[in-house]
Amino acid sequence: MKRRLLQEFYCPICRASFQNFHDHITNYHSDEEIELAIIKDKEQGLTDKDVGKKYRINLKRLEQIIRKHMGVNISVGATQKVIKTFEPANFQLQKTTIWSFKSRGNWATHSGAYRGNWSPFIPRNVILMFSREGDLVLDQFCGGGTTAVEAKLLGRRCIAVDINEKAIELAKQNVNFNLPLSLYGSKIYEPELIVGDARNLYFIPDNSVDLICAHPPYSDAIKYTENTMGDLSHLKVDDFLAEMRAVASESFRVLKPGKFCAILIGDLRRGGHIVPLGFKLMNVFMEAGFLLKYLVIKLQHNCKATGFWLEKSRTYNFLLLAHEYLPIFYKPQSKSTLVSEQRVANFQIKFAIPALSSENIEGTTVWFYDPSNFEEFIETNVAFRYGNGTPIIRVFSPYTSGNLNERSFEHELNTYIANNERFFESRDYVTFHAYDFEFSGYIFPTAKYIVDFLNLPGFALKEIIILIPKNYTDIPHLPDNELLRVHSYLLVYRRT
């Protein structure tokens, strides 16, 4: 590693600091000694940034060292947290399909130490909306135990499973706290934490779980173990989705009919294009028999494009990924399919004129707009990023309260594209504006079906953008388990 560090991270621009670095690592006699020194610094609370600066390693290499020596991908030393409060201040249930938590949440034993773990606000909302006290909650991707902690706090039974025994050890530390019964006035259930495989939940009976609340890896975006057999975080997209079919099948088997399954998932960027992992995983669960009850967009607050990154996003024409998906599936009482009618899709082509100004240009995949100025806002952003001085095609998808069969939608979509082929021949970019809509009590995910079915030869998906009105929180009173749809999508396709 010493030689690797010298070769890989030497920078002629910073030779003085490099000499200090060289003097520092020569105090060690082997790669192993350097790695152990890094682990010691992490256990003593040195930040990732400071470790990277001290040893001239990037985050990917640091994660690899931590996984190798600690068995779990955590960002700080594993120390027992002092609990200051058992619940978030001024908590309110989410009321729309946009979930935005500016603070990730640090009540009870929650922290951001486990890399890639989700905000405890997510399982708290899901558990309160879709289960009752005493119900059994399953999280088959336990990680550091965020869902298990919330289940204990909220008076639910919980089975939490992870393939990594070190993750289960960490989760056991996190659920090991005394909860004052007088604070909640309900029975306290200790979570059952199990080393196991989400693809084979043989120890859980059929139709026995009241709610599934899980956060699987996003293919190989973050590796959670170094070499644990069966760890899905080492798999590329196609292999990951193939294995997730077994996860979806087991989820459907163990969940009671009439109950819900919530899965947080995000997209990836590869080769300058979006890999729609979120939509692809939704297909996996729907093919297993689930129906899509809600499709929530969870915003990320650590990737706002300002300064350096905003300029880079403009120069290299990419958007920072600032959203994830939280599909909330429903297991029907029977295997019967939804009765749907064939309706004619009402597509419409518009053009975005070339932009005259670069002001108010968005740098992430989440665009907030003023409803009174929607058209100008969209045209300015689309034309500036993708226009190259020529008008950009904007295709509006159907928005209807009627029923629409996905196969008829596929036919209507590609028939419309074929009939208007002349508009696409000389274009470098095409955008599709789509809304999710509801029929028979379930979501018709129009944007997902466009990505699934679109036949536009020579084009590839460049971006999935979430459009949100700035006043989206101004909503009427809704029941606790209802969510108002407030977002739409802008799909950007680029000629390859």
Side-chain angles (χ1 to χ4, degrees), residues 250-319:
E250 280 291 82
S251 299
F252 193 86
R253 177 185 68 80
V254 302
L255 190 65
K256 294 178 181 177
K259 299 295 185 177
F260 295 90
C261 169
I263 304 290
L264 186 70
I265 190 70
D267 293 328
L268 305 173
R269 190 180 295 282
R270 297 287 187 268
H273 288 79
I274 286 295
V275 177
L277 184 64
F279 289 164
K280 290 176 180 290
L281 190 64
M282 291 178 214
N283 284 335
V284 167
F285 276 77
M286 293 167 75
E287 289 165 4
F290 287 103
L291 302 177
L292 185 59
K293 179 63 177 177
Y294 297 110
L295 181 45
V296 171
I297 301 298
K298 189 265 179 183
L299 305 188
Q300 296 182 4
H301 288 274
N302 60 350
C303 57
K304 183 175 177 60
T306 58
F308 173 83
W309 281 113
L310 180 59
E311 184 61 31
K312 288 295 182 184
S313 77
R314 293 177 177 180
T315 302
Y316 297 102
N317 196 11
F318 71 92
L319 297 172

Side-chain angles (χ1 to χ4, degrees), residues 109-123:
T109 56
H110 295 307
S111 74
Y114 191 89
R115 295 191 193 276
N117 66 353
W118 59 359
S119 163
F121 281 109
I122 301 173

Side-chain angles (χ1 to χ4, degrees), residues 132-134 151-156 179-189:
R132 297 174 295 183
E133 290 186 5
K152 179 175 179 176
L153 292 173
L154 298 173
R156 272 68 168 176
L179 186 63
L181 186 59
S182 59
L183 184 65
Y184 291 90
S186 60
K187 186 175 180 180
I188 297 171
Y189 299 93

Side-chain angles (χ1 to χ4, degrees), residues 279 282 295-297 323 325 397 432-436 443 445-448 464-467 487-491:
F279 289 164
M282 291 178 214
L295 181 45
V296 171
I297 301 298
H323 70 279
Y325 310 92
S397 69
F432 290 79
H433 186 195
Y435 294 84
D436 295 332
I443 295 298
T446 309
K448 186 190 78 68
I464 299 177
I465 299 165
I466 307 299
L467 304 176
H487 67 277
S488 58
Y489 307 83
L490 190 68
L491 309 175

Side-chain angles (χ1 to χ4, degrees), residues 385-447:
R385 281 195 171 275
Y386 312 115
N388 295 325
T390 60
I392 297 299
I393 291 181
R394 296 171 56 205
V395 182
F396 285 73
S397 69
Y399 181 70
T400 175
S401 59
N403 296 345
L404 186 68
N405 180 285
E406 58 262 31
R407 291 304 165 188
S408 68
F409 177 84
E410 177 182 10
H411 172 75
E412 293 291 338
L413 169 66
N414 289 310
T415 298
Y416 184 84
I417 295 298
N419 289 342
N420 292 276
E421 184 178 5
R422 66 189 185 280
F423 289 114
F424 306 106
E425 290 177 346
S426 60
R427 308 293 171 177
D428 292 327
Y429 290 91
V430 177
T431 68
F432 290 79
H433 186 195
Y435 294 84
D436 295 332
F437 61 91
E438 180 182 336
F439 74 86
S440 300
Y442 300 98
I443 295 298
F444 188 93
T446 309

